[in-house]
mmCIF file of all heavy atoms in Angstrom:
data_model
loop_
_atom_site.group_PDB
_atom_site.id
_atom_site.type_symbol
_atom_site.label_atom_id
_atom_site.label_comp_id
_atom_site.label_asym_id
_atom_site.label_seq_id
_atom_site.Cartn_x
_atom_site.Cartn_y
_atom_site.Cartn_z
ATOM 1 N N ASP A 18 55.192 28.929 46.413
ATOM 2 C CA ASP A 18 53.847 29.103 45.844
ATOM 3 C C ASP A 18 53.052 30.185 46.584
ATOM 4 O O ASP A 18 51.871 30.008 46.889
ATOM 5 C CB ASP A 18 53.068 27.785 45.858
ATOM 6 C CG ASP A 18 53.725 26.711 45.017
ATOM 7 O OD1 ASP A 18 54.373 27.068 44.006
ATOM 8 O OD2 ASP A 18 53.607 25.519 45.365
ATOM 9 N N ASN A 19 53.704 31.307 46.894
ATOM 10 C CA ASN A 19 53.082 32.440 47.586
ATOM 11 C C ASN A 19 52.511 32.083 48.958
ATOM 12 O O ASN A 19 51.482 32.595 49.382
ATOM 13 C CB ASN A 19 52.002 33.095 46.722
ATOM 14 C CG ASN A 19 52.603 33.903 45.607
ATOM 15 O OD1 ASN A 19 53.688 34.473 45.765
ATOM 16 N ND2 ASN A 19 51.934 33.956 44.481
ATOM 17 N N ARG A 20 53.189 31.202 49.661
ATOM 18 C CA ARG A 20 52.814 30.873 51.042
ATOM 19 C C ARG A 20 54.082 30.512 51.809
ATOM 20 O O ARG A 20 55.150 30.328 51.224
ATOM 21 C CB ARG A 20 51.786 29.744 51.087
ATOM 22 C CG ARG A 20 52.298 28.439 50.521
ATOM 23 C CD ARG A 20 51.293 27.293 50.641
ATOM 24 N NE ARG A 20 51.771 26.105 49.960
ATOM 25 C CZ ARG A 20 52.731 25.297 50.392
ATOM 26 N NH1 ARG A 20 53.328 25.520 51.536
ATOM 27 N NH2 ARG A 20 53.098 24.246 49.685
ATOM 28 N N LEU A 21 53.939 30.424 53.121
ATOM 29 C CA LEU A 21 55.072 30.019 53.943
ATOM 30 C C LEU A 21 55.259 28.511 53.835
ATOM 31 O O LEU A 21 54.272 27.760 53.846
ATOM 32 C CB LEU A 21 54.831 30.405 55.406
ATOM 33 C CG LEU A 21 54.714 31.895 55.688
ATOM 34 C CD1 LEU A 21 54.315 32.134 57.146
ATOM 35 C CD2 LEU A 21 56.024 32.603 55.367
ATOM 36 N N PRO A 22 56.495 28.040 53.751
ATOM 37 C CA PRO A 22 56.725 26.597 53.614
ATOM 38 C C PRO A 22 56.711 25.841 54.942
ATOM 39 O O PRO A 22 56.985 24.654 54.984
ATOM 40 C CB PRO A 22 58.097 26.511 52.943
ATOM 41 C CG PRO A 22 58.744 27.814 53.153
ATOM 42 C CD PRO A 22 57.692 28.822 53.477
ATOM 43 N N TRP A 23 56.405 26.502 56.036
ATOM 44 C CA TRP A 23 56.399 25.885 57.359
ATOM 45 C C TRP A 23 55.165 26.334 58.119
ATOM 46 O O TRP A 23 54.523 27.314 57.774
ATOM 47 C CB TRP A 23 57.660 26.261 58.145
ATOM 48 C CG TRP A 23 57.917 27.742 58.087
ATOM 49 C CD1 TRP A 23 57.262 28.737 58.765
ATOM 50 C CD2 TRP A 23 58.878 28.397 57.265
ATOM 51 N NE1 TRP A 23 57.748 29.960 58.426
ATOM 52 C CE2 TRP A 23 58.750 29.791 57.498
ATOM 53 C CE3 TRP A 23 59.834 27.945 56.355
ATOM 54 C CZ2 TRP A 23 59.547 30.730 56.853
ATOM 55 C CZ3 TRP A 23 60.615 28.893 55.721
ATOM 56 C CH2 TRP A 23 60.480 30.261 55.970
ATOM 57 N N HIS A 24 54.869 25.609 59.179
ATOM 58 C CA HIS A 24 53.800 25.997 60.108
ATOM 59 C C HIS A 24 54.484 26.365 61.422
ATOM 60 O O HIS A 24 55.044 25.507 62.087
ATOM 61 C CB HIS A 24 52.813 24.842 60.298
ATOM 62 C CG HIS A 24 51.749 25.156 61.305
ATOM 63 N ND1 HIS A 24 50.765 26.093 61.067
ATOM 64 C CD2 HIS A 24 51.536 24.687 62.542
ATOM 65 C CE1 HIS A 24 49.985 26.182 62.119
ATOM 66 N NE2 HIS A 24 50.431 25.331 63.036
ATOM 67 N N LEU A 25 54.457 27.642 61.754
ATOM 68 C CA LEU A 25 55.153 28.123 62.942
ATOM 69 C C LEU A 25 54.288 29.181 63.643
ATOM 70 O O LEU A 25 54.466 30.386 63.441
ATOM 71 C CB LEU A 25 56.526 28.683 62.554
ATOM 72 C CG LEU A 25 57.488 29.033 63.671
ATOM 73 C CD1 LEU A 25 57.719 27.865 64.619
ATOM 74 C CD2 LEU A 25 58.823 29.491 63.082
ATOM 75 N N PRO A 26 53.314 28.738 64.449
ATOM 76 C CA PRO A 26 52.407 29.683 65.111
ATOM 77 C C PRO A 26 53.131 30.734 65.950
ATOM 78 O O PRO A 26 52.680 31.878 66.036
ATOM 79 C CB PRO A 26 51.528 28.783 65.992
ATOM 80 C CG PRO A 26 51.637 27.420 65.406
ATOM 81 C CD PRO A 26 52.993 27.352 64.761
ATOM 82 N N GLU A 27 54.257 30.362 66.551
ATOM 83 C CA GLU A 27 55.014 31.323 67.366
ATOM 84 C C GLU A 27 55.502 32.493 66.516
ATOM 85 O O GLU A 27 55.522 33.635 66.973
ATOM 86 C CB GLU A 27 56.225 30.650 68.033
ATOM 87 C CG GLU A 27 55.885 29.514 68.971
ATOM 88 C CD GLU A 27 55.954 28.143 68.305
ATOM 89 O OE1 GLU A 27 55.744 28.043 67.078
ATOM 90 O OE2 GLU A 27 56.222 27.168 69.032
ATOM 91 N N ASP A 28 55.884 32.215 65.272
ATOM 92 C CA ASP A 28 56.341 33.277 64.382
ATOM 93 C C ASP A 28 55.182 34.184 63.985
ATOM 94 O O ASP A 28 55.336 35.404 63.929
ATOM 95 C CB ASP A 28 57.015 32.698 63.142
ATOM 96 C CG ASP A 28 57.472 33.801 62.197
ATOM 97 O OD1 ASP A 28 58.215 34.695 62.641
ATOM 98 O OD2 ASP A 28 57.059 33.778 61.027
ATOM 99 N N LEU A 29 54.015 33.617 63.706
ATOM 100 C CA LEU A 29 52.851 34.432 63.348
ATOM 101 C C LEU A 29 52.467 35.353 64.502
ATOM 102 O O LEU A 29 52.144 36.527 64.295
ATOM 103 C CB LEU A 29 51.687 33.540 62.927
ATOM 104 C CG LEU A 29 51.929 32.683 61.684
ATOM 105 C CD1 LEU A 29 50.743 31.762 61.416
ATOM 106 C CD2 LEU A 29 52.255 33.537 60.477
ATOM 107 N N ALA A 30 52.519 34.831 65.724
ATOM 108 C CA ALA A 30 52.210 35.665 66.900
ATOM 109 C C ALA A 30 53.257 36.763 67.073
ATOM 110 O O ALA A 30 52.921 37.912 67.376
ATOM 111 C CB ALA A 30 52.130 34.789 68.146
#
Side-chain angles (χ1 to χ4, degrees):
D18 298 329
N19 286 328
R20 63 177 174 74
L21 297 173
W23 48 76
H24 176 69
L25 189 54
E27 299 95 332
D28 179 55
L29 297 176

